[in-house]
Amino acid sequence: MTPAFAPPAKPTQPSATTPAPKSTPLADDLSFLSRHLGPNKATEKEMLQTLGLSSLEELVQATLPKGLASAHPPRLPPARSETRALADLEKILAANPPWRSLIGLGYHGTITPPVLRRAILEDPGWYTSYTPYQPEISQGRLEALLNYQTMVLELTGMEIANASLLDEGTAAAEAASLAYAAMADKNRKTLWLTPGLHPSSTSVISTRAAALGWRVVVSDSFPEKETSNLFAGILAYPESDGRVADPRPSIEQLKKSGALSIMIADPLSLFLLTPPGELGADVAVGSTQRFGVPIGFGGPHAAYFATRLAYQRLLPGRLIGVSKDTAGRTAYRLSLQTREQHIRRDRATSNICTAQALLAALASMYAIHHGPKGLYQIALRIHQHTQRLAAGLKVIGLTIAHPTFFDTLHIQGPPAALKTARLKAAQAQTNFRDFPNGDLGITLDERTDEAEVDRLLSFFGATKLPPPSSEFPPIPTPLARKSPALRHPIFTSHANENELLRYIRRLAAKDLTPAQSMVPLGSCTMKLNAASELTPLGWSTISEPHPYAPADQNPGYLRIIHDLETWLGEITGLPHVSLQPNAGSQGEYAGLLSIRAWHYSRGDTQRDVCLIPVSAHGTNPASAVLVGFRVIPVACDSQGNVDLSDLDAKLKEHGPRVAAAMVTYPSTHGVFETAIRDLCAKVHQAGGQVYMDGANLNALVGICRPGEFGVDACHLNLHKTFCIPHGGGGPGVGPIAVASHLAPFFPPIPTKP
Ligand SMILES: *Cc1c(COP(=O)(O)O)cnc(C)c1O
């Protein structure tokens, strides 16, 4: 689950069914379908003739099992043309005034270099490409991801890094899973969290822990009493409120106790701070958002994951390796794939499939764009501005809670003074972090300049300004980084924009994507996103809002989220929708967690069996395990249909222990199983719930609704069925839709801290 969005508060304006404006049609009205669907009238006719059918309606009828079609089409507002949709979106988003958010909490202002915006983020060669499973058509994106791994390795000082994960909280939870898997003694079930983690990470980790039966201890100092039960400790570096504590004593104690140490580290700070690898940490994770990836109201951004070679077989996510092709030339390919859910299923290291490849490629190119010197300068400047701000605040009698910091100050002082500063900042449309006790937090970023620090000081009533930022020293502690970062020549060989642009184009030219050709891949529906669908990405009203800004600042965003949830509920026939999960796998996880919580609420705590057909995608069994379920496979016939007699046998055998059955509809083999209603009824009779993997929803949209044939919960992959780009393996959005009885059991969403 991503902690990305603020809780989807109800929008302040009426919305969901806002009708399209009634006016004369524009020239491009109604041309969307013909522009964006492959077959034309002639090819359509040829196909129908070959099949001996007379119309598309007949084809649908012949394909769908009897009685499955919905009695009515989904109640959605009328379709709008591309031009109108963009104009309406612009209007809705105009309600988001531009605030400058210095809230921190894992989200930082950044500057996306225009060359990267144009040549990567807005280039269909990069945003439509598929996950690089076929290395012969993916050398470009593989190289970009390898650069990402190299960047992470050098910044963290670790020995092996993967090609991106979903978000910081999930990466930290995956790190805890790695640590637990590494323990020989499976009775070590205590996980130590320091209070310095971002609240969203603590929440995601705690949700994972609860499902797997881990005990979470949150304490500032090493939990001595738990020494023999500990499997890992998670430290933040810097901490959420800005403190930079020396992690070495904690790492030492963890090592002595036989547990692993996990550091959540801000990659930009690692240009100034000694990297986790040199401090003795076993795993380093974090977000690479501030490497040129817009905040976007909380995502998508790539998380990184790095560890020691000893744990390489436990590494979650994709790993790019360097290999030789048949002619002996260097080539890239995915490595150690036997760890992944596609092959290992319920014994996989992780359920993560779609990650954030596009954003990882962007972050790696940001590192190449600035190079080691440029990035060091950015980090240093941010730190010096922060020192200058601290100096100015101290002069007027305010207290900076922690003497050592990177970019974030925890500010204490008389409540009246802080209140005035908060008000003045609000008048200038500037957001600070509000701590529950009334203290203030300010996080500076790449966008901060001298004038901004002056402005911030003026909110607090400072009149005597400190000397310029450049006169403040680098990190003054024994924690200062001494080893150089980003020594690999790739980070210094494309210093000017011509070189960089050519490099990016050279990589893209090595790939085959929907920008060149149809890519006929099964359920991971490959589509060339309409350019208009990606246009809003470039709008500051989309890219800048901070997820923890007060909800009333972003009514436009909230309305879009609310509308989409309502429409997806209508499309699936499952009215309660959450857009929180950031991939299909995370939707499965969230949906199964809801099912588990529902069983528990009824006292059915023994229900831990998840029935999964052998034809299912690997994420299904991997997700079930994360929820604490036991996977019992159900046989399929040669056509990929679930074998109902085997289902009966398994239901009989495990009846009172059946928690859920997962079914992909239509199946990965492209089959609309005729017995889907029976299947749902049988599982319900046994007291179980039906989870539908909705990766293939594109075959159902507008025709039938899973909620009507007995499904209790399903996810949708908006990067497959709708217009989120596939991005070479992400971004993903994997909303879950559930029936009313499950809605109260959605996993908790981290609220504003
Ligand atoms: C893609 C896919 C998934 C996993 O979804 P991600 O968004 O990649 O996490 C699960 N099941 C099926 C059938 C899929 O095609």
Side-chain angles (χ1 to χ4, degrees):
M1 292 277 290
T2 168
F5 295 125
K10 291 289 167 259
T12 46
Q13 306 163 356
S15 57
T17 49
T18 317
K22 279 201 197 81
S23 54
T24 46
L26 296 169
D28 81 336
D29 275 354
L30 308 176
S31 69
F32 187 84
L33 286 185
S34 62
R35 273 184 208 287
H36 297 287
L37 290 181
N40 58 29
K41 281 286 162 213
T43 48
E44 191 180 298
K45 204 167 147 204
E46 195 185 329
M47 281 193 290
L48 289 169
Q49 263 168 5
T50 310
L51 293 166
L53 296 167
S54 64
S55 70
L56 287 179
E57 288 66 36
E58 235 180 64
L59 173 63
V60 169
Q61 271 176 15
T63 308
L64 272 192
K66 267 215 165 30
L68 213 61
S70 203
H72 61 85
R75 284 164 289 231
L76 300 175
R80 293 169 220 196
S81 71
E82 292 177 274
T83 311
R84 253 189 234 287
L86 283 176
D88 290 351
L89 262 181
E90 225 174 335
K91 236 180 269 160
I92 291 171
L93 287 163
N96 295 354
W99 281 67
R100 170 80 169 130
S101 287
L102 304 173
I103 299 172
L105 285 164
Y107 304 94
H108 302 88
T110 181
I111 297 169
T112 312
V115 58
L116 301 186
R117 179 181 288 283
R118 179 158 291 188
I120 296 209
L121 208 51
E122 295 178 350
D123 182 332
W126 286 94
Y127 69 66
T128 65
S129 55
Y130 183 57
T131 316
Y133 289 125
Q134 283 173 279
E136 64 280 15
I137 59 163
S138 313
Q139 288 299 301
R141 68 201 95 134
L142 282 164
E143 184 166 329
L145 293 174
L146 182 74
N147 292 342
Y148 181 83
Q149 289 178 185
T150 309
M151 170 186 96
V152 169
L153 276 186
E154 293 213 32
L155 285 178
T156 58
M158 303 301 289
E159 293 166 355
I160 186 167
N162 74 6
S164 91
L165 284 186
L166 288 164
D167 55 82
E168 185 165 301
T170 307
E174 292 288 331
S177 286
L178 176 146
Y180 184 68
M183 291 295 121
D185 176 3
K186 296 297 174 206
N187 290 321
R188 285 177 164 260
K189 287 198 168 208
T190 303
L191 176 62
W192 169 38
L193 305 185
T194 49
L197 274 55
H198 291 311
S200 52
S201 296
T202 302
S203 172
V204 173
I205 298 163
S206 302
T207 299
R208 171 88 55 116
L212 295 177
W214 301 338
R215 197 172 113 75
V216 172
V217 179
V218 182
S219 63
D220 208 10
S221 58
F222 181 83
E224 298 283 354
K225 278 198 280 201
E226 294 286 333
T227 305
S228 57
N229 300 326
L230 270 186
F231 66 90
I234 308 188
L235 321 165
Y237 184 63
E239 297 182 355
S240 187
D241 78 340
R243 179 170 75 143
V244 178
D246 189 340
R248 277 172 287 210
S250 299
I251 292 174
E252 216 32 61
Q253 279 165 306
L254 282 162
K255 225 172 227 88
K256 250 194 246 149
S257 74
L260 265 52
S261 45
I262 297 163
M263 286 178 68
I264 306 182
D266 172 345
L268 194 59
S269 75
L270 296 182
F271 283 92
L272 306 185
L273 295 170
T274 306
E278 293 175 24
L279 297 170
D282 297 296
V283 187
V285 299
S287 166
T288 54
Q289 180 265 318
R290 67 192 311 177
F291 278 40
V293 184
I295 294 179
F297 208 37
H301 318 123
Y304 74 82
F305 192 109
T307 184
R308 305 204 171 278
L309 276 174
Y311 305 117
Q312 65 178 6
R313 297 210 162 263
L314 301 175
L315 192 73
R318 295 204 174 83
L319 181 67
I320 315 300
V322 182
S323 170
K324 291 253 184 277
D325 72 5
T326 47
R329 290 168 304 203
T330 300
Y332 308 111
R333 50 160 300 169
L334 296 176
S335 306
L336 292 179
Q337 280 190 273
T338 48
R339 300 165 296 118
E340 291 189 49
Q341 8 74 30
H342 304 287
I343 295 171
R344 280 209 115 191
R345 307 185 69 82
D346 54 321
R347 288 166 58 237
T349 53
S350 157
N351 70 333
I352 291 176
C353 181
T354 289
Q356 308 288 17
L358 180 68
L359 299 317
L362 184 63
S364 76
M365 291 297 183
Y366 173 91
I368 296 172
H369 174 88
H370 288 294
K373 280 206 190 102
L375 288 174
Y376 173 80
Q377 281 307 324
I378 292 172
L380 178 63
R381 208 175 54 223
I382 293 173
H383 179 55
Q384 288 174 324
H385 285 319
T386 314
Q387 289 188 71
R388 179 165 179 262
L389 178 62
L393 293 175
K394 278 190 226 159
V395 167
I396 51 172
L398 296 175
T399 305
I400 305 303
H402 308 301
T404 312
F405 49 78
F406 166 56
D407 65 354
T408 297
L409 299 179
H410 180 149
I411 303 159
Q412 299 165 322
L418 298 186
K419 191 172 165 215
T420 309
R422 209 177 266 123
L423 275 177
K424 286 208 175 133
Q427 278 160 10
Q429 300 200 318
T430 303
N431 288 317
F432 297 152
R433 175 172 175 183
D434 291 322
F435 290 100
N437 69 354
D439 291 355
L440 276 184
I442 298 184
T443 298
L444 302 185
D445 57 45
E446 190 187 354
R447 295 187 166 216
T448 302
D449 56 12
E450 213 85 23
E452 175 159 81
V453 177
D454 291 351
R455 203 157 50 243
L456 294 173
L457 286 170
S458 78
F459 299 155
F460 289 88
T463 46
K464 196 165 161 292
L465 295 176
S469 297
S470 56
E471 291 182 19
F472 288 86
I475 292 267
T477 71
L479 281 174
R481 179 168 188 145
K482 294 180 193 77
S483 58
L486 306 190
R487 275 168 304 175
H488 192 284
I490 193 71
F491 299 110
T492 39
S493 52
H494 301 89
N496 70 55
E497 184 166 322
N498 272 343
E499 287 293 335
L500 181 60
L501 179 67
R502 287 174 195 149
Y503 177 59
I504 294 170
R505 306 286 294 210
R506 238 180 3 255
L507 292 191
K510 293 180 182 177
D511 288 4
L512 188 77
T513 76
Q516 289 89 24
S517 154
M518 185 200 179
V519 179
L521 281 158
S523 51
C524 287
T525 322
M526 292 312 297
K527 63 226 176 325
L528 185 61
N529 299 76
S532 61
E533 289 163 344
L534 277 294
T535 298
L537 264 186
W539 299 348
S540 62
T541 46
I542 284 286
S543 62
E544 308 230 327
H546 191 287
Y548 290 114
D552 60 9
Q553 282 174 21
N554 293 299
Y557 239 123
L558 293 177
R559 174 174 165 189
I560 291 170
I561 289 172
H562 178 74
D563 280 356
L564 181 59
E565 287 178 344
T566 308
W567 297 336
L568 293 177
E570 183 60 29
I571 285 168
T572 53
L574 296 164
H576 297 275
V577 175
S578 167
L579 292 180
Q580 199 74 6
N582 48 12
S585 63
Q586 307 304 297
E588 292 169 15
Y589 175 58
L592 292 177
L593 277 177
S594 309
I595 288 175
R596 182 181 185 267
W598 179 75
H599 283 309
Y600 271 59
S601 78
R602 297 152 46 94
D604 268 352
T605 50
Q606 84 291 354
R607 289 194 180 269
D608 65 350
V609 164
C610 192
L611 301 173
I612 303 182
V614 291
S615 61
H617 192 275
T619 51
N620 291 192
S623 298
V625 167
L626 280 184
V627 171
F629 287 165
R630 282 187 297 143
V631 175
I632 303 290
V634 178
C636 288
D637 65 19
S638 58
Q639 316 240 290
N641 286 302
V642 177
D643 178 341
L644 282 192
S645 59
D646 193 44
L647 178 74
D648 284 336
K650 299 281 157 71
L651 284 172
K652 200 158 162 221
E653 187 184 343
H654 302 283
R657 299 205 61 163
V658 171
M662 297 181 87
V663 49
T664 305
Y665 202 76
S667 78
T668 301
H669 297 246
V671 178
F672 287 87
E673 295 174 55
T674 49
I676 184 73
R677 274 181 196 276
D678 277 0
L679 187 152
C680 293
K682 283 171 193 281
V683 174
H684 286 152
Q685 248 160 29
Q689 293 279 288
V690 179
Y691 184 92
M692 188 188 98
D693 180 327
N696 302 336
L697 195 88
N698 53 323
L700 308 181
V701 180
I703 299 173
C704 50
R705 308 155 94 215
E708 289 175 359
F709 48 80
V711 167
D712 300 292
C714 77
H715 73 259
L716 294 72
N717 307 60
L718 301 192
H719 44 297
K720 296 178 182 174
T721 303
F722 293 93
C723 66
I724 304 293
H726 214 294
V733 186
I736 35 167
V738 304
S740 300
H741 65 282
L742 292 178
F745 302 100
F746 274 157
I749 293 172
T751 46
K752 194 171 160 13

